[in-house]
Amino acid sequence: MSVVKMENAVKNYKVGKVEVPALRGLTLSIEKGEFTAIAGPSGSGKTTLLNLFGCLDKPTSGKVFIEEHDIITLNPDQLADVRNHHIGFIFQSFNLIPVLTAFENVEFPLVLLNELPAHRKTRVMEMLESVGIGDLAGRRPGEMSGGQQQRVAIARALVKHPDYVLADEPTANIDTKTGQEILDLMREMNQKHKTTFIFSTHDPKVMRFARRLIMIRDGQIESDERQ
Amino acid sequence: MFKIALRNIFRNKRRSVLTGLSIAVAVMIAVYLWSLISGIMDDLFDNMIRLNYGHVRILNTDYVKRERLLPLEANIKDYQAVARLADADRNVTLTVGRIKFGVLLEYKGKNKPVFGTGIVPENESPISHLDQKIVEGRMIEMGKEEMNLGASLARELGLKLGDTLTVVTQTAYGSITAMNLKIVGIFSYGVQSMDKTTFFIPLDRAQKLLDLENSATEIFIFIKDKNKGPEVAKEIRAKLDLAYPGKYMAKAWQEQELLYFYMVIARNVYAGLYFLVLFLASFTILNTMFMSVLERTKEIGMMKALGMKNRQVMGIVMLEALLIGTIASFIGAIWGSGIAYYLATRGLDFTATFETMGTINFPISSVYHALFSWGIVFFGFCMGILFSVAAAVPPALRAAKMEPTESLKEI
Ligand SMILES: Nc1ncnc2c1ncn2[C@@H]1O[C@H](COP(=O)(O)OP(=O)(O)OP(=O)(O)O)[C@@H](O)[C@H]1O
Ligand SMILES: [Mg+2]
């Protein structure tokens, strides 16, 4: 059974009066537990694809299914619920809430899920420990290095045990060595929690690391290989 | 959520402080301005009631039409009998007859149009507080040819205590009449219209001078609760209509067009200023909230990507405005009440201003006292919050409309 899939998805952006095609009829299915990299040159449509998988946007035509449910008909609040319950996000520039501590940032998705405070506390601490920054719980993003911030972001994405995690160029804003550590961590989480990961990159080293590599160009799939 | 909103305020401290300051200052101005205007208005009304209208006033129906001319022929005959009608009402605490008349005062070649009022001296204390306003000499006494003169008027005419001056005027029937009156006391109300243009003489002397034996032109009625004026006036009117159909009428101070007119003006001017001040302040909130929301486009997009709903995003922005607004309004209300309290106890002296403005026709005191009331302070506080929150609605809507896809955009 697929965790998320799209059928014949087309996405056009309107720039003024011109329609810019970003995805040209893409069909793609991600299975549970996969560790997938989406690669391709700049402007090939990676972010657009992740937007659709992330229920952040709807395709111009075609369909997107999450656990076999069509999301096209959902309204913005329902989409927010789907994201809240099923999807974790990791961003290129970490995108933590600067006024909250690491602990509170990781706690944030659980607050949105209305989890009880006591329950939240143990889950958050567990998660921070498992990404290796249990001792930084009280720090704010501004007081942490890029790698540490990205670890917080991973903890935030995983803390609610989502069906899959989307990461748009998660290593682009950190140095190679730290990037490798982050990838190792993601892989570790993938194996330990069986969490499905879908991430985009244009770094060949990162591509090699993936279990499944999907190359896209001009909004179409060029190749799709499992290693 | 609360935590996020609260900490967001501290994110850009200078901006929050500036926003807060503008709200605080607006609330402060609103509070003390209202206190001051209320104080001035209350003082004006109080003076007008005590000096010009009483709580309820009985007049000859013809007098009402030409009150400006002080038509003595339109008087109240046997005024004591009429006053007794009103006395029967249990709300009434005091009824007193008066005669107000115009004269051309002449002294050592200078002459000046002024107003004389015939009063019952022993009843004057609760009405015009004349006994407390005498600065030199003593009050006039019934039956004696004496007068109390306004201080500014005395100065202007070069009159002093003990001087005797001849008052020449017309009687109710148009013939010329005169009386020599000795100045036994000089009063000062700190109210230009009183001190500069009036004098008091005993009622019986006024009756004699004006050929108005046993009559008065006005009967002032004072009641326990001045807010009940219209009710009492209505009852008295009914009685008057029975006893003297069509002849006399009673008017409560609230029914005086002039007072009503001032009241409306004061209220409108104040409301206008009040809302203008708050409106300007709410623009700064609108502005800074917009800035801070637009700055956080990516962050808000991220929060929405994580599953935050539109109204929750709105809520955070509104909560921020509410917090700033509450704190700032609180500070502003304290400042405002401080100033209002100071103005209430110390007063604001406008004597000099009024002197240069010449004679003013209504009894406004030269020293303003603000009216200090927690109601005004609290209202200002609430309005500050209300305007802050209202001004945050557009930026909050803007935040709610932001797309979650913003979170994945990289510049
Ligand atoms: N909001 C938008 N409005 C208009 N055009 C857009 C928008 N987002 C993306 N595009 C266009 O769609 C195409 C695909 O963009 P997308 O961001 O998906 O590429 P990408 O593979 O993520 O690129 P990069 O590696 O630079 O992040 C590009 O041609 C881009 O210019
Ligand atoms: Mg991209």
Side-chain angles (χ1 to χ4, degrees), chain A residues 13 15 20 22 41-48 169 202, chain B residues 409:
Chain A
Y13 288 108
V15 181
V20 181
S42 189
S44 55
K46 304 182 293 292
T47 301
T48 307
E169 319 227 12
H202 44 227
Chain B
K409 267 196 196 138

mmCIF file of all heavy atoms in Angstrom, chain A residues 13 15 20 22 41-48 169 202, chain B residues 409, ligand 1:
data_model
loop_
_atom_site.group_PDB
_atom_site.id
_atom_site.type_symbol
_atom_site.label_atom_id
_atom_site.label_comp_id
_atom_site.label_asym_id
_atom_site.label_seq_id
_atom_site.Cartn_x
_atom_site.Cartn_y
_atom_site.Cartn_z
ATOM 1 N N TYR A 13 2.007 27.310 -12.835
ATOM 2 C CA TYR A 13 1.960 28.562 -12.073
ATOM 3 C C TYR A 13 1.604 29.675 -13.029
ATOM 4 O O TYR A 13 2.097 29.716 -14.149
ATOM 5 C CB TYR A 13 3.312 28.859 -11.428
ATOM 6 C CG TYR A 13 3.637 27.948 -10.271
ATOM 7 C CD1 TYR A 13 4.618 26.967 -10.397
ATOM 8 C CD2 TYR A 13 2.961 28.073 -9.058
ATOM 9 C CE1 TYR A 13 4.921 26.137 -9.340
ATOM 10 C CE2 TYR A 13 3.260 27.246 -7.997
ATOM 11 C CZ TYR A 13 4.247 26.274 -8.140
ATOM 12 O OH TYR A 13 4.537 25.455 -7.098
ATOM 13 N N VAL A 15 2.124 33.296 -14.007
ATOM 14 C CA VAL A 15 2.961 34.475 -13.769
ATOM 15 C C VAL A 15 2.437 35.557 -14.703
ATOM 16 O O VAL A 15 2.667 35.509 -15.903
ATOM 17 C CB VAL A 15 4.446 34.188 -14.063
ATOM 18 C CG1 VAL A 15 5.287 35.430 -13.791
ATOM 19 C CG2 VAL A 15 4.930 33.007 -13.231
ATOM 20 N N VAL A 20 3.203 29.038 -16.363
ATOM 21 C CA VAL A 20 4.504 28.366 -16.344
ATOM 22 C C VAL A 20 4.286 26.933 -15.879
ATOM 23 O O VAL A 20 3.828 26.710 -14.773
ATOM 24 C CB VAL A 20 5.473 29.069 -15.368
ATOM 25 C CG1 VAL A 20 6.823 28.379 -15.368
ATOM 26 C CG2 VAL A 20 5.603 30.541 -15.725
ATOM 27 N N ALA A 22 5.166 23.610 -14.168
ATOM 28 C CA ALA A 22 6.169 23.156 -13.206
ATOM 29 C C ALA A 22 6.183 21.639 -13.145
ATOM 30 O O ALA A 22 7.232 21.008 -13.083
ATOM 31 C CB ALA A 22 5.893 23.747 -11.837
ATOM 32 N N PRO A 41 17.856 19.208 -11.613
ATOM 33 C CA PRO A 41 18.435 20.546 -11.645
ATOM 34 C C PRO A 41 17.472 21.592 -11.083
ATOM 35 O O PRO A 41 16.294 21.315 -10.872
ATOM 36 C CB PRO A 41 18.702 20.790 -13.135
ATOM 37 C CG PRO A 41 17.817 19.849 -13.856
ATOM 38 C CD PRO A 41 17.608 18.665 -12.969
ATOM 39 N N SER A 42 18.023 22.756 -10.878
ATOM 40 C CA SER A 42 17.209 23.846 -10.347
ATOM 41 C C SER A 42 16.055 24.154 -11.302
ATOM 42 O O SER A 42 16.240 24.188 -12.512
ATOM 43 C CB SER A 42 18.093 25.080 -10.170
ATOM 44 O OG SER A 42 17.395 26.064 -9.479
ATOM 45 N N GLY A 43 14.868 24.331 -10.743
ATOM 46 C CA GLY A 43 13.710 24.648 -11.556
ATOM 47 C C GLY A 43 13.044 23.436 -12.167
ATOM 48 O O GLY A 43 12.109 23.556 -12.950
ATOM 49 N N SER A 44 13.511 22.234 -11.801
ATOM 50 C CA SER A 44 12.946 21.036 -12.419
ATOM 51 C C SER A 44 11.587 20.666 -11.826
ATOM 52 O O SER A 44 10.845 19.887 -12.406
ATOM 53 C CB SER A 44 13.922 19.868 -12.258
ATOM 54 O OG SER A 44 14.227 19.703 -10.887
ATOM 55 N N GLY A 45 11.255 21.228 -10.659
ATOM 56 C CA GLY A 45 9.934 20.950 -10.089
ATOM 57 C C GLY A 45 9.973 20.191 -8.781
ATOM 58 O O GLY A 45 8.934 19.717 -8.307
ATOM 59 N N LYS A 46 11.137 20.086 -8.143
ATOM 60 C CA LYS A 46 11.251 19.318 -6.891
ATOM 61 C C LYS A 46 10.366 19.910 -5.787
ATOM 62 O O LYS A 46 9.592 19.192 -5.141
ATOM 63 C CB LYS A 46 12.718 19.304 -6.401
ATOM 64 C CG LYS A 46 13.706 18.766 -7.422
ATOM 65 C CD LYS A 46 15.111 18.727 -6.877
ATOM 66 C CE LYS A 46 15.724 20.088 -6.621
ATOM 67 N NZ LYS A 46 15.994 20.866 -7.850
ATOM 68 N N THR A 47 10.511 21.212 -5.601
ATOM 69 C CA THR A 47 9.738 21.845 -4.533
ATOM 70 C C THR A 47 8.243 21.761 -4.819
ATOM 71 O O THR A 47 7.432 21.491 -3.927
ATOM 72 C CB THR A 47 10.174 23.315 -4.364
ATOM 73 O OG1 THR A 47 11.568 23.340 -4.048
ATOM 74 C CG2 THR A 47 9.406 24.004 -3.267
ATOM 75 N N THR A 48 7.904 21.946 -6.088
ATOM 76 C CA THR A 48 6.494 21.858 -6.472
ATOM 77 C C THR A 48 5.932 20.477 -6.131
ATOM 78 O O THR A 48 4.825 20.352 -5.587
ATOM 79 C CB THR A 48 6.350 22.134 -7.980
ATOM 80 O OG1 THR A 48 6.993 23.375 -8.266
ATOM 81 C CG2 THR A 48 4.899 22.210 -8.385
ATOM 82 N N GLU A 169 15.591 19.846 0.360
ATOM 83 C CA GLU A 169 17.020 20.170 0.465
ATOM 84 C C GLU A 169 17.468 20.351 1.910
ATOM 85 O O GLU A 169 17.960 21.415 2.284
ATOM 86 C CB GLU A 169 17.312 21.448 -0.330
ATOM 87 C CG GLU A 169 16.573 21.472 -1.647
ATOM 88 C CD GLU A 169 17.447 21.866 -2.804
ATOM 89 O OE1 GLU A 169 18.684 21.915 -2.634
ATOM 90 O OE2 GLU A 169 16.901 22.089 -3.899
ATOM 91 N N HIS A 202 20.037 18.436 -4.861
ATOM 92 C CA HIS A 202 20.776 18.325 -6.107
ATOM 93 C C HIS A 202 22.254 18.042 -5.833
ATOM 94 O O HIS A 202 23.123 18.333 -6.614
ATOM 95 C CB HIS A 202 20.571 19.511 -7.067
ATOM 96 C CG HIS A 202 20.627 20.854 -6.418
ATOM 97 N ND1 HIS A 202 19.668 21.801 -6.677
ATOM 98 C CD2 HIS A 202 21.468 21.401 -5.548
ATOM 99 C CE1 HIS A 202 19.948 22.888 -5.979
ATOM 100 N NE2 HIS A 202 21.052 22.656 -5.281
ATOM 101 N N LYS B 409 9.569 27.979 0.207
ATOM 102 C CA LYS B 409 10.230 28.889 -0.735
ATOM 103 C C LYS B 409 11.578 29.331 -0.186
ATOM 104 O O LYS B 409 11.681 29.712 0.971
ATOM 105 C CB LYS B 409 9.360 30.131 -0.959
ATOM 106 C CG LYS B 409 8.444 29.979 -2.155
ATOM 107 C CD LYS B 409 7.894 31.326 -2.570
ATOM 108 C CE LYS B 409 6.695 31.121 -3.481
ATOM 109 N NZ LYS B 409 5.611 32.039 -3.176
HETATM 110 N N1 LIG C 1 5.120 30.386 -6.847
HETATM 111 C C1 LIG C 1 5.558 30.260 -8.112
HETATM 112 N N2 LIG C 1 5.130 31.105 -9.044
HETATM 113 C C2 LIG C 1 5.549 30.994 -10.336
HETATM 114 N N3 LIG C 1 6.390 30.087 -10.755
HETATM 115 C C3 LIG C 1 6.869 29.206 -9.880
HETATM 116 C C4 LIG C 1 6.484 29.256 -8.498
HETATM 117 N N4 LIG C 1 7.117 28.252 -7.855
HETATM 118 C C5 LIG C 1 7.866 27.643 -8.790
HETATM 119 N N5 LIG C 1 7.724 28.186 -9.991
HETATM 120 C C6 LIG C 1 8.345 27.742 -11.250
HETATM 121 O O1 LIG C 1 8.065 26.376 -11.390
HETATM 122 C C7 LIG C 1 9.206 25.689 -11.841
HETATM 123 C C8 LIG C 1 9.573 24.617 -10.824
HETATM 124 O O2 LIG C 1 10.001 25.244 -9.625
HETATM 125 P P1 LIG C 1 10.441 24.444 -8.317
HETATM 126 O O3 LIG C 1 10.621 25.448 -7.256
HETATM 127 O O4 LIG C 1 9.496 23.339 -8.095
HETATM 128 O O5 LIG C 1 11.849 23.886 -8.773
HETATM 129 P P2 LIG C 1 12.980 23.190 -7.865
HETATM 130 O O6 LIG C 1 13.311 21.944 -8.527
HETATM 131 O O7 LIG C 1 12.532 23.142 -6.467
HETATM 132 O O8 LIG C 1 14.145 24.227 -8.022
HETATM 133 P P3 LIG C 1 15.339 24.525 -6.973
HETATM 134 O O9 LIG C 1 16.292 23.435 -7.078
HETATM 135 O O10 LIG C 1 15.866 25.845 -7.477
HETATM 136 O O11 LIG C 1 14.689 24.654 -5.633
HETATM 137 C C9 LIG C 1 10.295 26.731 -12.022
HETATM 138 O O12 LIG C 1 10.327 27.068 -13.381
HETATM 139 C C10 LIG C 1 9.845 27.874 -11.199
HETATM 140 O O13 LIG C 1 10.265 29.082 -11.787
#
